[in-house]
Amino acid sequence: MTSQVIAAMPACADSGAMTSSNPAASASSIASATPGPLGLWVMLSGTFLVVLDFFIVNVALPSMQHDLQASAGTLQLVVAGYGLATAAGLVTGGRLGDLFGRRRMFMLGLLLFTLASAACGVAPNAELLVAARVLQGLAGALLQPQVLAMIGLAYTGEDRARAFAAYGLTLGLGATLGQLVGGVLIHADLAGLGWRSCFLINVPIGLLALVLAPRVVPPLTQGSGSSRLDLAGVSLVAVGSVAVVLPLVEGRQQGWPLWSWLCLAAAVPLWGFFASQQRRLAARGGAPLVAPVLLANRRFVTGLLTTLAFYAGTASFYFVLALYLQQGLALGPLSSGIVFTALAVGFFATSMAGARIARRFGGKPPIALGALVLAAGHALQCVNVAGWPGHTHVVAWTVPLLFVQGAGLGMVMAPLVSTVLAGLPPQHAGVASGVLSMVQQASNALGVALIGILFYGRLGREADYTSAFGVALVYLMVSALLVAVLHWRGARHGRGAEAIR
């Protein structure tokens, strides 16, 4: 099966066949190669696996530590190694898709992710598990930007809106179902695999998608006019990403040592130098990793800031909710996973009804409204937690309020991606997708770090989970309100730009 996939890759690349020298031909080829529902499922299966594996591992950590006799520091690397590798490689992964064909890079990324998942599942010790997780993250960085870019090129109009909504739905379900899927797999203990099944479940899904991809996903390649990779830019992005994400992920657990502050301080000049290097390369007629025209696009930049605010509150919400349910309310992994389904149901409901909701509001995505619903859900949950401290009724009220919070998440997450990428030149689709995905990953780490400071700072020696969760919910409410404000400002910029044209 693996040999079939590798044999199919050269035929499906067509990386140099379609260039920006003939935009009309390119657009025609892309439009005539719209994938059907099965093709969209194959593309989204890759995204689902990448997101699921970021969250599913949390519920498996205690079992891993017991089985592999791993230290707490090594366990942190199981999580951080994956996130770091993904964040550091996303922009480069998007650029590789622009250069060598998006379907080819999608299939290569999916193949590597599947193999790395198998390596995680059979790892005999913690050190090899960490190494396999880093490979998983790098494969995910190659895979994920291709999905966004292919959707942007394959669909137009209402079809594109629906496809991006399905992408947003996939992101949310991967995150919200991670806890439940992990809890079910560990509880079932299939074939005595325990936590290993959380990784091995990826193998049949990945192999099936790899077999189907050459048949149902068109090449969708629109060249950028250059076949060279900006290696200096690649290096600067990788080092700059690590300088931001590593201290945010590891700093709090280690008490914010000096190296964490030095890394964060070094990130500023690193990214400044990267921006300068990209401008100089573009001025010389070269092919920069991130075209300066992208960062000069006010709507795109505002969209990135909105994404930063949103995801800084999303991953951190799952983080503190899992801690509150399992340690504060003493629910087991399976029980807490079942409670999480209320969040997933609310998310699914508004994601599927996104188009109808948008029509009620003049055809515009209701992102600001969704952010306000999310903020209200956080506020009501805070009242619930404070009103029933240590009381059994808190769970009964938590479930319907999680539905409200999930509904707000669905109204924002599903249309946010298409809003950020709207109107960008097709030749920059891969890089723009990589930049957006990198902001999502960095925002996840930033949010978990910030909420960790608040949560654990309030938790104290008394282990007051009620008070700690309440403080975290206040942070999440502020984050949601910031999303509403930024989106409103971005929409206003968009209307201004249309009026100028």
Side-chain angles (χ1 to χ4, degrees):
M1 191 173 292
T2 300
S3 61
Q4 285 179 316
V5 172
I6 295 173
M9 285 183 184
C12 77
D14 301 336
S15 59
M18 191 186 302
T19 68
S20 56
S21 61
N22 191 347
S26 297
S28 174
S29 299
I30 291 168
S32 65
T34 303
L38 185 57
L40 181 60
W41 177 89
V42 169
M43 290 189 283
L44 294 180
S45 67
T47 294
F48 181 78
L49 291 178
V50 172
V51 176
L52 183 74
D53 264 50
F54 186 85
F55 291 94
I56 199 174
V57 74
N58 292 321
V59 75
L61 288 176
S63 302
M64 290 178 193
Q65 186 169 28
H66 179 268
D67 251 16
L68 302 177
Q69 300 298 302
S71 67
T74 304
L75 276 183
Q76 290 167 13
L77 287 175
V78 171
V79 179
Y82 181 81
L84 279 170
T86 305
L90 280 164
V91 175
T92 303
R95 180 64 176 147
L96 288 172
D98 288 339
L99 294 177
F100 302 115
R102 296 187 179 95
R103 186 175 69 178
R104 171 184 258 182
M105 292 299 102
F106 170 81
M107 292 178 65
L108 178 60
L110 189 56
L111 173 63
L112 294 175
F113 191 89
T114 303
L115 293 174
S117 297
C120 289
V122 300
N125 56 56
E127 290 72 24
L128 287 178
L129 177 59
V130 170
R133 284 285 284 173
V134 170
L135 291 176
Q136 252 195 328
L138 291 172
L142 181 60
L143 163 64
Q144 198 164 351
Q146 316 315 328
V147 179
L148 272 175
M150 289 191 294
I151 289 174
L153 292 174
Y155 301 95
T156 57
E158 287 293 321
D159 289 337
R160 176 183 289 178
R162 281 192 289 268
F164 273 127
Y167 178 86
L169 178 62
T170 302
L171 289 179
L173 290 180
T176 55
L177 292 179
Q179 184 89 3
L180 176 62
V181 172
V184 169
L185 289 173
I186 293 172
H187 182 76
D189 195 22
L190 300 172
L193 290 170
W195 61 267
R196 297 179 185 275
S197 59
C198 294
F199 297 112
L200 295 176
I201 192 69
N202 297 341
V203 176
I205 299 173
L207 291 178
L208 178 61
L210 281 166
V211 170
L212 292 173
R215 298 167 173 81
V216 299
V217 179
L220 298 169
T221 303
Q222 181 157 337
S224 63
S226 171
S227 60
R228 299 187 64 183
L229 182 63
D230 174 17
L231 295 178
V234 168
S235 302
L236 286 169
V237 163
V239 175
S241 300
V242 171
V244 172
V245 179
L246 178 61
L248 292 177
V249 172
E250 293 292 302
R252 183 193 56 78
Q253 285 102 337
Q254 297 186 21
W256 297 105
L258 178 61
W259 68 261
S260 64
W261 295 109
L262 292 176
C263 277
L264 288 171
V268 176
L270 278 170
W271 283 107
F273 184 65
F274 169 74
S276 174
Q277 182 259 349
Q278 296 292 285
R279 286 193 296 268
R280 289 197 306 270
L281 185 58
R284 295 199 303 267
L289 187 65
V290 178
V293 67
L294 283 177
L295 300 182
N297 186 313
R298 198 173 185 181
R299 189 171 181 175
F300 180 63
V301 172
T302 304
L304 292 180
L305 292 174
T306 308
T307 301
L308 174 66
F310 177 68
Y311 281 93
T314 302
S316 54
F317 178 41
Y318 302 139
F319 172 70
V320 293
L321 180 59
L323 287 174
Y324 177 66
L325 292 176
Q326 293 190 51
Q327 298 179 10
L329 298 180
L331 299 180
L334 181 59
S335 298
S336 65
I338 292 171
V339 173
F340 257 89
T341 58
L343 192 73
V345 170
F347 180 92
F348 185 80
T350 52
S351 295
M352 296 302 293
R356 290 195 297 274
I357 296 172
R359 282 195 292 272
R360 290 281 185 94
F361 292 90
K364 299 294 183 182
I367 292 176
L369 175 63
L372 293 176
V373 170
L374 181 59
H378 290 323
L380 291 172
Q381 195 71 268
C382 189
V383 172
N384 171 46
V385 171
W388 302 100
H391 200 285
T392 54
H393 289 332
V394 73
V395 177
W397 284 102
T398 294
V399 171
L401 290 176
L402 280 175
F403 179 87
V404 174
Q405 290 164 297
L409 286 171
M411 292 171 72
V412 177
M413 190 181 292
L416 181 58
V417 171
S418 58
T419 302
V420 175
L421 297 178
L424 293 177
Q427 66 268 28
H428 299 310
V431 172
S433 302
V435 171
L436 176 59
S437 298
M438 186 181 69
V439 168
Q440 291 171 345
Q441 289 286 342
S443 303
N444 287 340
L446 175 64
V448 170
L450 291 176
I451 211 167
I453 295 170
L454 296 171
F455 184 87
Y456 285 106
R458 193 61 178 262
L459 189 63
R461 295 181 180 178
E462 297 80 17
D464 185 358
Y465 282 92
T466 297
S467 180
F469 189 47
V471 169
L473 285 167
V474 172
Y475 160 82
L476 294 168
M477 182 177 62
V478 172
S479 171
L481 291 174
L482 184 58
V483 170
V485 171
L486 286 170
H487 177 69
W488 176 75
R489 288 180 62 85
R492 200 171 62 169
H493 291 327
R495 286 194 298 270
E498 289 169 7
I500 292 171
R501 287 197 297 268

